[in-house]
Amino acid sequence: MSKSTQASVGDWVGSKTPISPAISMDAGPRFLAYAGLVTGAWSAVLSLIVYAFARLIGVPLEVDTDRLPVMVPWVAIIIVPLAAAEIGAMASLLARGLPHARQIVFWAGTVIAIASLAFPIMRSELVSTAIWLSIPHLITWFLVVPQIARIIGDTEPGARVDRVVL
């Protein structure tokens, strides 16, 4: 590709979106809240299926508290992925427009997901319980973090062009 052709194409060609997003179309709080809701809802649904299957095959999904072991309620399996996705989406706004925003959001989300695995691992007496309670954390990471990172990555300098949106 010649230099003149490369300059006319733009620096945004590395974006995952096939057409460069306009600067005026940068993801804002409302768009990210919607993305968090959609990815969190899918994560909650898949996590609930995993939870139901684990209960069906007889895995004791109990975590230790200070007093007694407590069964993890099914409502927590729905609320936690939704809350994590929304909080992550809103926190990703801090990286909006920064160079390397995609990598910042991806790796910060990955570190937080790894840290969240400490709860089922440290609070479960049985290895099978720890494994089955870790799966929803992995589902949530897989569905939420790359998507939010992609959205924020499109706000990086050079990843978009200033043009009129019709």
Side-chain angles (χ1 to χ4, degrees):
M1 185 180 293
S2 69
K3 267 204 180 268
S4 63
T5 307
Q6 186 176 14
S8 65
V9 170
D11 294 331
W12 55 268
V13 293
S15 173
K16 298 292 185 201
T17 358
I19 298 173
S20 67
I23 292 172
S24 62
M25 299 293 291
D26 276 356
R30 183 177 177 185
F31 184 79
L32 281 164
Y34 179 72
L37 177 68
V38 170
T39 57
W42 275 108
S43 177
V45 167
L46 292 176
S47 296
L48 194 59
I49 291 169
V50 167
Y51 178 84
F53 183 73
R55 293 283 309 266
L56 184 67
I57 63 173
V59 176
L61 298 173
E62 296 177 341
V63 292
D64 292 333
T65 61
D66 293 335
R67 297 181 192 156
L68 299 169
V70 175
M71 175 74 74
V72 175
W74 64 270
V75 164
I77 301 297
I78 294 173
I79 292 173
V80 171
L82 279 169
E86 284 298 329
I87 291 168
M90 293 298 104
S92 71
L93 284 169
L94 295 171
R96 185 173 63 170
L98 295 177
H100 309 292
R102 180 187 325 255
Q103 289 85 2
I104 292 168
V105 171
F106 181 83
W107 289 110
T110 301
V111 167
I112 292 168
I114 291 169
S116 76
L117 287 171
F119 179 77
I121 292 170
M122 303 287 274
R123 294 287 187 165
S124 303
E125 286 186 17
L126 300 174
V127 173
S128 62
T129 301
I131 291 170
W132 282 98
L133 289 177
S134 296
I135 293 172
H137 292 261
L138 298 174
I139 290 170
T140 302
W141 173 84
F142 183 75
L143 292 179
V144 175
V145 172
Q147 182 64 20
I148 299 299
R150 187 199 65 79
I151 292 168
I152 289 297
D154 282 343
T155 68
E156 292 177 9
R160 61 218 197 285
V161 294
D162 195 11
R163 62 179 167 85
V164 176
V165 177
L166 301 175

